[in-house]
Amino acid sequence: MSNYSYNYDKQPIMAERVLSALSYLTYGLVGLVWLIIAALGKKTIKPFLKFNIIQSIFIALVFAVLSMSVNIIMNILSIVRVIPFIGGFINSFFDFILFYLVQYQLFMGFSILGILVLGLNIYLIICSLSGIYSQVPYISNIVRKLV
């Protein structure tokens, strides 16, 4: 840990835990609405709730950027396909990877990437309902600096 002071001994109240979980469940929408309501009412938000709300919004933005990146890669691959010899190899390689990561339904209609996103979301919801600060590599450190 660095010089960020969080009071891990003081457990957040159940309302903060539920709001944090709902924020993760809705990919930051409930948290964003709560931040706006608190700002309009000039209320302070406790660090646990603020951390989880900002982290849920940040993760939702990361998911959106990754989703757009996959679409951009697929568009670039359609352009690369016309290059003789190399285009076919590169296209088939990335089609194979993207198919198994994004499109292939591995378990109950979820792709590998979908299972990873669902698992991360479940972990974040369980941590927030338990009153624990969740640790997502890189993202949690950035959020701590913002809070």
Side-chain angles (χ1 to χ4, degrees):
M1 286 284 152
S2 55
N3 59 357
Y4 302 105
S5 60
Y6 288 102
N7 190 356
Y8 290 102
D9 297 331
K10 185 173 169 34
Q11 286 292 320
I13 61 173
M14 186 54 77
E16 292 173 341
R17 295 180 193 185
V18 170
L19 277 170
S20 297
L22 286 174
S23 186
Y24 287 118
L25 194 60
T26 60
Y27 293 101
L29 184 63
V30 168
L32 184 63
V33 169
W34 191 256
L35 285 176
I36 292 170
I37 290 171
L40 292 175
K42 298 184 182 181
K43 304 283 183 181
T44 59
I45 298 177
K46 292 185 180 175
F48 177 79
L49 184 59
K50 193 173 189 181
F51 172 82
N52 284 302
I53 288 173
I54 292 175
Q55 182 164 279
S56 68
I57 293 169
F58 195 78
I59 288 173
L61 291 175
V62 168
F63 287 160
V65 167
L66 287 176
S67 176
M68 287 187 290
S69 299
V70 168
N71 289 335
I72 290 170
I73 289 171
M74 293 181 80
N75 288 335
I76 290 172
L77 286 177
S78 66
I79 295 169
V80 170
R81 186 174 295 165
V82 297
I83 299 173
F85 304 112
I86 298 172
F89 172 73
I90 291 173
N91 195 37
S92 62
F93 176 73
F94 281 108
D95 275 348
F96 175 78
I97 290 173
L98 289 175
F99 174 75
Y100 281 105
L101 279 178
V102 180
Q103 295 172 344
Y104 181 70
Q105 295 181 353
L106 188 64
F107 178 72
M108 293 179 61
F110 287 103
S111 65
I112 293 172
L113 195 60
I115 291 172
L116 292 174
V117 169
L118 180 66
L120 175 65
N121 217 2
I122 290 171
Y123 162 73
L124 293 169
I125 289 169
I126 289 172
C127 284
S128 62
L129 287 174
S130 301
I132 300 170
Y133 283 87
S134 56
Q135 299 298 318
V136 179
Y138 304 111
I139 294 175
S140 294
N141 293 335
I142 293 170
V143 171
R144 276 193 193 87
K145 291 176 184 176
L146 292 174
V147 175

